Amino acid sequence: MMISGHPFNDLAGWIEQMAVLPVLYRFGLMQWSELSFGWTLVALYGLFQMLLCYAICIPLERRFPIERWESRKPILTDVLYTAIARIGILPITTFVVFYTLQTRLDGFLADHGYAPPMLETIFPLLFGHPIVTFFIYALVLDFADYWRHRLSHRFGIWYALHAVHHSQRQMTVWSDDRNHVLDDAAGFLWFMVVGLLIGIPPMQFPVLVLALRFVESFSHANIKMGFGRLGERLVVSPRFHRAHHGLFAAGSTSVNYGAVFPVWDILFHTADFSSDFPATGDIGAPETMVSGGYLVQQWSGLLHVLNALRS
Amino acid sequence: MKLEISRRALLGAVAFPAAGLAVPTLRPPIAIVMDSGGATVSIIDMTTRKVVRKEPTLREPSHWALAPDRQRLLVSDAAGNAIFFFDPATGKEMSHVLIPDPYQLWYSPDGRYLGVNALRLNHVDLYHADRLTLAKRFRTGSMPSHLSYSPDSRWMFNSLQGANALASFDLLDLRARWSVPVGSAPAGVMWHEGLVLVAIMGSNHVAVVDPRDGRVRRRVVTDRGPHNLFLAPDRAHIVVTNRVAGSLSVLDAKTLAVVARVAMPGGPDDLCFAPDGKLWIALRFASEVAVFEPRTGSIDRIPVGRSPHGIFVSTLLTDAPALAAMRLA
């Protein structure tokens, strides 16, 4: 294997050739060979994200912890969530479930003379400026995510699923991906609609993608850290996001919904810069959702939805 | 059958005559490489073998087609829902148009139509070549991948990667002729001597198909995962890229017997023949273009953008034998 200027690509290419293609070939699945390279890349980025979190956040969590716990066992489930979400299992499953739906929808639109636009086709001046385009996409998608997140707190049934994310009392860098699969599916649908309106973002800047995803993980870390008066207003910090996870800020009373940029909270009056590392969790969440294993938490989320429907 | 031959034996067996060596070129020759993972095309100076610049596309450029007047090189960008027009001699972008999901594309030999496979949307579009307006949309099975035509432009043949089939369409009546199973995950398609050759990527062979009814008459074993096929300018050999094995198989164009196998790790995909006899090969998984010298077996590697997919060499513009082999003359 030669490493060129694209180390992720080359490593993914090596894995593709050594492992993925032989498996697809063996099981008669070569029609997916075109897409499998992309998924190998996604899994590789995910693995690198986990290593990055471990290398940077774990030492900081030990050095500057907000809380210290006798047992860190509940955190192990969050590590499993992260592995499932980042190393391809969840993206591949979501892809399989939604691929047919998305292609049928796109095909229907194409038959009616509609090709999903992109920011560069809506604003032609952006064409040829991929980094600028990337950051505008990042802003627009963060804006969309702000509203998805805010609405998931607004509606009781949706929040009953989202409560899986909020129920963690030992919030760490691994808590970012602690989500109910149906909550993740809702998020995917949300971005599918956004994708129809503004297209998919360019993915040729893996380092920038990694940086944005790192901000989301870092904001959940058990690190007593803010970014200062100005920094707190530019990028979501552990201090800012912890207020969102505060024990008494669960459900519709929450604040600080932004994932990467706090600007949306400032604009829509949901920002709270005063909170000072409160205890996290959701007092309405059942204990099974708080400290059960992965499947127990998922089941508990479903029961929580049924309870919300009854009430 | 897998034929392994030594590098020395390769010298005699697989040296594509430098049919176009004396062909004059007006500009420094360039190779235009579609970097699917980088949303760019890399422009390589073929003399210095260095990337001299990159031209942006929208999302995922993959394949190319040379316009009948040879003044424009069309590059498809399926994820960007666009076709880009480049100057084939300089690699400068001229314009682009929005078209849903263009994957592989090729002009009919009479220059009347541009066939475009929409791999994700499961249809084949036929555009009037002169004004790029839709003449007909054919619903197909899953994942139309590559396409070819009969030399008289009467029939179009499209591999359906997800449906394990080859479909054929009549371009006079604009109707479907047949769609028949040919093997697992068919990819590259090539008309050859009154037959249609199909690279069966999910297996280890090339299917030889009767264009009249789609019946598979013969299967030529090459190597694991044959992806695409190319007639050499000498018209004596056909080169097959094998995606899973990471190799090239060279077939005798008359008998279709395998005469050589060349290891080509890195996911060989598209390739072009240069007038000096060298093969310029896009390596999907290595972010490189390989320049393979069949006489010596040497391989030079040129780093390009991520996931290089299609490759075009500007020497084709004046290389009559190579153009004829690609039915672009």
Side-chain angles (χ1 to χ4, degrees), chain A residues 28-35, chain B residues 119 143 161-164 184-185 201:
Chain A
L29 298 168
M30 280 299 287
Q31 68 268 32
W32 300 108
S33 61
E34 197 66 38
L35 293 162
Chain B
L119 183 131
M143 295 184 171
Q161 207 166 295
N164 300 327
S184 175
M201 193 166 56

Side-chain angles (χ1 to χ4, degrees), chain A residues 11 21 62 78 96 101 110 120-121 155 238 242 269 277 294:
Chain A
L11 184 55
L21 282 185
R62 286 182 182 149
D78 290 5
V96 169
L101 175 68
E120 300 99 310
T121 55
F155 296 105
R242 196 171 175 91
H269 308 293
F277 303 105
Y294 178 86

Side-chain angles (χ1 to χ4, degrees), chain B residues 20-211:
Chain B
L21 254 185
V23 172
T25 49
L26 299 176
R27 292 190 176 91
I30 56 168
I32 300 175
V33 185
M34 286 116 245
D35 306 322
S36 279
T40 54
V41 296
S42 295
I43 313 298
I44 301 172
D45 181 327
M46 289 176 74
T47 312
T48 62
R49 295 193 179 172
K50 296 213 178 311
V51 173
V52 288
R53 66 174 197 283
K54 291 187 179 181
E55 294 276 340
T57 63
L58 280 167
R59 293 294 178 272
E60 198 175 326
S62 58
H63 295 86
W64 61 267
L66 188 63
D69 62 4
R70 297 185 215 163
Q71 299 299 308
R72 292 164 301 154
L73 182 76
L74 282 66
V75 170
S76 61
D77 182 342
N81 290 307
I83 290 178
F84 284 79
F85 298 90
F86 288 90
D87 181 330
T90 65
K92 294 253 193 253
E93 195 230 333
M94 301 158 82
S95 63
H96 58 271
V97 294
L98 297 185
I99 276 176
D101 193 27
Y103 186 64
Q104 209 237 342
L105 70 179
W106 204 251
Y107 283 95
S108 59
D110 62 5
R112 188 174 176 200
Y113 292 118
L114 174 69
V116 179
N117 281 343
L119 183 131
R120 193 169 57 86
L121 300 184
N122 300 333
H123 66 239
V124 174
D125 280 341
L126 202 61
Y127 291 92
H128 295 290
D130 51 354
R131 51 192 190 277
L132 273 190
T133 52
L134 188 64
K136 179 80 176 177
R137 174 162 295 165
F138 296 108
R139 303 279 161 217
T140 63
S142 171
M143 295 184 171
S145 175
H146 289 65
L147 65 94
S148 185
Y149 301 90
S150 58
D152 61 3
S153 299
R154 172 85 194 258
W155 298 328
M156 176 169 63
F157 302 91
N158 305 67
S159 59
L160 307 178
Q161 207 166 295
N164 300 327
L166 182 72
S168 179
F169 302 92
D170 190 314
L171 300 193
L172 289 183
D173 302 337
L174 298 185
R175 62 175 177 81
R177 294 178 64 224
W178 44 256
S179 180
V180 293
V182 287
S184 175
V189 186
M190 188 178 87
W191 178 278
H192 180 65
E193 303 290 341
L195 297 166
V196 180
L197 308 186
V198 187
I200 307 299
M201 193 166 56
S203 185
N204 63 347
H205 66 269
V206 170
V208 182
V209 177
D210 189 325

Side-chain angles (χ1 to χ4, degrees), chain A residues 2 6 9-10 13 17 21 25 30-34 37 103 106-107 110-111 118 120 127 137 200 204 206, chain B residues 56 59 79-80 84 93 103 120-121 137 139 161 201 203-204 244 266-267 284-285 287-288 304 306 309:
Chain A
M2 269 185 66
H6 313 291
N9 239 74
D10 294 348
Q17 280 195 291
L21 282 185
Y25 184 80
M30 280 299 287
Q31 68 268 32
W32 300 108
S33 61
E34 197 66 38
F37 186 39
T103 51
D106 286 358
D111 288 346
M118 299 179 171
E120 300 99 310
F127 180 69
Y137 262 108
I200 52 164
Q204 67 264 46
Chain B
R59 293 294 178 272
F84 284 79
E93 195 230 333
Y103 186 64
R120 193 169 57 86
L121 300 184
R137 174 162 295 165
R139 303 279 161 217
Q161 207 166 295
M201 193 166 56
S203 185
N204 63 347
V244 180
R284 286 295 293 284
F285 309 131
S287 308
E288 290 172 333
V304 291
R306 280 193 283 274
H309 197 153

